[in-house]
Amino acid sequence: MTQLVLPLQAALAPRFDNFVPGRNREAVAALKALLADPLGEPIVYLWGAPGCGRTHLLAALVEEAKRAGLPAALASGRSAASLPDAVLLALDDVERLDPTGAQAFFNALNRAREGTMRVAASGPCPPARLRLRQDVATRLGSGLVFEIHPLSDEEKIAALAARARERGFTLPQEAARYLLTRSPRNLTCLFAILERLDLRSLERHRPVTVRLLREVLGEAGDP
């Protein structure tokens, strides 16, 4: 018998404590320092391939800032014709800024250098290779720059197990390894499949197993 599962569980908010850092501990420490050290470097830039975790880190930074009572905002270059006014600005997909957005971002970087703002941003490549105005890229590169390295397979398994625990179930290691061999390997895709697996487990009153995972992967046309 299939049980209808209502989508009552809120999406899990990105936080520093549910991010598996792997080789990215220095980048995480630099982001935390934006909140903890008002005299430290005010500009941090993260770059890496899609799914590496840079968007998660920016969202975690804003979440942590808001919990501390600091005015903070997360924006995306995909849609930012103007930027929010905040003490801490996190800007994702910086390479997608249009000319108006690029000017607003340049102003924010200047404010950061003046000590009235903190800026964290992310993109797909180092600042010098971004398709941005040279003065914007140069100012961005004057801060701390970190490549966000993808997790190893063992670290991805740890991240999947941690996400499963947050959702209230246990992910067997054999199921996690099977998932890594049968799906796209970036964490965004892996977490989406994990959510489908959890819902199917609840619907069917069945434990999470490799067999159930095969069914979930087959539903979406995955191999």
Side-chain angles (χ1 to χ4, degrees), residues 59-124:
L61 174 66
V62 171
E63 182 74 14
E64 188 78 12
K66 288 181 176 178
R67 287 210 303 255
L70 184 68
L74 176 63
S76 172
R78 294 173 182 266
S79 57
S82 61
L83 296 178
D85 186 20
V87 173
L88 187 147
L89 171 67
L91 180 62
D92 200 14
D93 297 316
V94 67
E95 78 285 359
R96 294 180 178 271
L97 287 169
D98 64 16
T100 301
Q103 181 60 50
F105 186 51
F106 184 66
N107 294 339
L109 293 170
N110 285 336
R111 287 180 59 192
R113 280 284 165 244
E114 293 164 359
T116 61
M117 192 172 186
R118 307 241 128 190
V119 174
S122 79

Side-chain angles (χ1 to χ4, degrees), residues 38-203:
L39 300 180
E41 172 56 50
I43 299 171
V44 177
Y45 175 68
L46 313 176
W47 68 273
C52 67
R54 50 189 170 90
T55 301
H56 180 116
L57 286 172
L58 292 185
L61 174 66
V62 171
E63 182 74 14
E64 188 78 12
K66 288 181 176 178
R67 287 210 303 255
L70 184 68
L74 176 63
S76 172
R78 294 173 182 266
S79 57
S82 61
L83 296 178
D85 186 20
V87 173
L88 187 147
L89 171 67
L91 180 62
D92 200 14
D93 297 316
V94 67
E95 78 285 359
R96 294 180 178 271
L97 287 169
D98 64 16
T100 301
Q103 181 60 50
F105 186 51
F106 184 66
N107 294 339
L109 293 170
N110 285 336
R111 287 180 59 192
R113 280 284 165 244
E114 293 164 359
T116 61
M117 192 172 186
R118 307 241 128 190
V119 174
S122 79
C125 58
R129 289 166 43 199
L130 286 168
R131 294 182 178 179
L132 283 175
R133 278 174 21 195
Q134 184 176 1
D135 57 349
V136 179
T138 299
R139 185 56 55 91
L140 181 60
S142 71
L144 297 177
V145 177
F146 298 95
E147 179 182 5
I148 302 302
H149 300 281
L151 299 180
S152 68
D153 283 356
E154 292 305 315
E155 289 165 343
K156 287 177 181 176
I157 288 172
L160 287 166
R163 180 59 63 96
R165 286 194 297 272
E166 281 198 285
R167 295 189 64 89
F169 72 98
T170 299
L171 180 68
Q173 190 165 95
E174 61 269 21
R177 293 191 182 281
Y178 184 88
L179 178 55
L180 282 181
T181 63
R182 299 300 181 99
S183 68
R185 302 175 70 82
N186 74 72
L187 284 178
T188 301
C189 292
L190 291 171
F191 286 160
I193 295 171
L194 194 71
E195 181 177 352
R196 298 200 329 249
L197 179 62
D198 183 22
L199 292 175
R200 174 50 61 93
S201 173
L202 293 171
E203 288 172 353

Side-chain angles (χ1 to χ4, degrees), residues 14-27:
R15 303 189 309 274
F16 287 129
D17 62 7
N18 63 15
F19 179 79
V20 176
R23 292 183 288 161
N24 302 305
R25 296 183 185 279
E26 190 176 357

